[in-house]
């Protein structure tokens, strides 16, 4: 385990469903991120939270709604998704401005989302 | 514009042979450079980083990478590949001026055949 835990590992949902992805980190980091990984495409940064405030929103559709209630938890609320939203959603954390064991990000294992 | 390029979608190498996975970057100022590895259905795992100092950095699982400032490259290398090294490898650069910006390459699939 990396210290960043994502649940669930797999999720299948219909286009009219509402679901949430959860991310939890026990590393004492102060920044958390959501990334989308689709086949044969670069990693797409979706949201950045630093000190529990959203500092980045990379033109993500409103059907994705993040929530960061505290520095250890990050959620991604999903509603009325499209089949093209099927992907691996990765959570990451880091210590900013720059720190942590490797100066980089620590990633969770991801949630494999399938929209049917 | 800031970017990271991994020119090869896939690299094939025989077990025991040396491997190289290429990465070039474009970023303002001095970059922090990283390599991550991703196994199927898993998140990205940190392999190694270059921050400052010696241009040759050593990381996990026998991997190393060479920072070349003039060529703006940070190629990943290993002297002797293992079948278990087969995975997806991502190069990434973190801009010194904006710590929230972490640019990833598109990934290179490494296939090591027995």
């Amino acid at each position: 385990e990396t210290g960043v835990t994502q649940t669930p590992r797999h999720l299948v949902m219909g286009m009219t469903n509402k679901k949430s992805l959860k991310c939890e980190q026990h590393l004492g980091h102060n920044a958390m991120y959501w990334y989308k990984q689709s086949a044969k495409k670069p990693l797409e940064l979706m949201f950045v939270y630093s000190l529990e405030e959203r500092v980045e929103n990379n033109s993500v559709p409103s059907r994705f709604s993040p929530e960061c209630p505290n520095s250890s938890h990050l959620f991604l609320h999903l509603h009325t998704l499209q089949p093209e939203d099927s992907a691996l959603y990765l959570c990451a954390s880091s210590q900013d401005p720059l720190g942590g064991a490797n100066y980089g990000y620590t990633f969770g294992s991801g949630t494999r989302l399938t929209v049917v | 514009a800031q970017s990271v390029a991994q020119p090869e979608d896939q690299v094939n190498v025989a077990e025991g042979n040396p491997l190289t996975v290429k990465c070039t970057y474009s970023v303002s100022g001095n970059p922090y450079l990283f390599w991550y590895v991703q196994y199927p259905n898993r998140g990205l795992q940190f392999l190694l980083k270059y921050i400052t100092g010696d241009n040759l950095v050593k990381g996990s699982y026998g991997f190393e990478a060479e920072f070349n400032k003039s060529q703006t490259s940070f190629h990943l290398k290993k002297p002797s590949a293992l079948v278990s090294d087969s995975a997806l490898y991502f190069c990434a650069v973190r801009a010194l001026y904006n710590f929230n910006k972490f640019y990833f390459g598109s990934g290179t699939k490494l296939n090591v055949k027995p």
Side-chain angles (χ1 to χ4, degrees), chain A residues 33-89:
Chain A
Y33 310 80
W34 281 116
Y35 278 86
K36 177 183 177 183
Q37 185 179 24
S38 305
K40 300 187 188 301
K41 291 176 69 175
L43 282 165
E44 300 173 52
L45 177 63
M46 299 175 75
F47 299 104
V48 179
Y49 276 83
S50 181
L51 299 173
E52 300 160 43
E53 288 190 21
R54 192 189 310 180
V55 297
E56 187 96 18
N57 176 354
N58 265 9
S59 303
V60 179
S62 59
R63 57 185 184 269
F64 294 92
S65 174
E67 179 191 0
C68 187
N70 55 60
S71 60
S72 299
H73 294 86
L74 185 65
F75 295 90
L76 188 63
H77 303 301
L78 317 170
H79 65 96
T80 58
L81 294 192
Q82 304 298 312
E84 59 265 28
D85 296 322
S86 299
L88 182 68
Y89 288 84

Side-chain angles (χ1 to χ4, degrees), chain A residues 9 33 35 37 42-43 45 48 55-56 58 88 90 94 96-98 102-105 107-109 112, chain B residues 32 34 36 38 41-46 49 51 88 90 94 96 98-106:
Chain A
R9 292 295 302 274
Y33 310 80
Y35 278 86
Q37 185 179 24
L43 282 165
L45 177 63
V48 179
V55 297
E56 187 96 18
N58 265 9
L88 182 68
L90 292 166
S94 69
D96 286 327
L98 204 64
N102 58 41
Y103 293 89
Y105 288 9
F107 284 85
S109 296
R112 174 69 63 186
Chain B
Y32 289 8
F34 302 82
Y36 285 82
Q38 185 180 32
N41 297 313
R42 301 296 300 276
L44 278 64
Q45 297 177 37
F46 171 80
K49 69 180 185 292
I51 303 296
L88 191 56
F90 289 93
R94 198 168 190 188
L96 200 60
N98 187 342
F99 302 116
N100 290 324
K101 290 290 188 183
F102 209 32
Y103 301 94
F104 285 89
S106 53

